[in-house]
Amino acid sequence: MPKAVKGVLVECDPSIKAIILKIDQDKHDYIVEDLDDQTLVIKESQLQRLKARLEEELANTQQMPDDSGSE
C-alpha cells in the first residue's frame, strides 16, 4: 500500500542541488522527489539535518583566503 511522506519544496541553484544529491546518494534519507534542475521535494522530518550537512559540505569546499603576507 502506498505511504504518504510529508515534504518541503526546496528551490536552489543547480550547484547547491548537486551537493544535496551527493549527500542523499548513499542512503536516500532526504529527497522525496527530484522535480527539475532547481527544485527538489525534501522530507520535512529531515530538513534540519540536511541543512546542517549542506553547511558542512559548503564549509569544506570553500577556499580560505591566502594569508601568506604577500603584499
Side-chain angles (χ1 to χ4, degrees):
M1 176 163 212
K3 181 179 173 186
V5 177
K6 203 172 203 182
V8 177
L9 187 67
V10 175
E11 293 181 272
C12 56
D13 292 332
S15 59
I16 299 297
K17 181 183 171 199
I19 296 170
I20 293 171
L21 290 171
K22 181 181 154 217
I23 291 170
D24 188 64
Q25 75 183 1
D26 292 332
K27 296 182 182 177
H28 305 290
D29 286 339
Y30 303 104
I31 297 174
V32 175
E33 190 70 36
D34 183 353
L35 299 177
D36 62 29
D37 61 336
Q38 294 184 343
T39 313
L40 297 163
V41 178
I42 303 294
K43 292 178 186 174
E44 184 180 52
S45 62
Q46 299 294 327
L47 184 61
Q48 293 305 318
R49 280 185 40 199
L50 177 60
K51 283 182 181 181
R53 291 276 312 269
L54 183 58
E55 286 177 13
E56 278 179 32
E57 288 290 326
L58 289 173
N60 291 337
T61 58
Q62 289 178 347
Q63 292 184 357
M64 296 300 205
D66 185 18
D67 290 337
S68 62
S70 59
E71 292 178 13

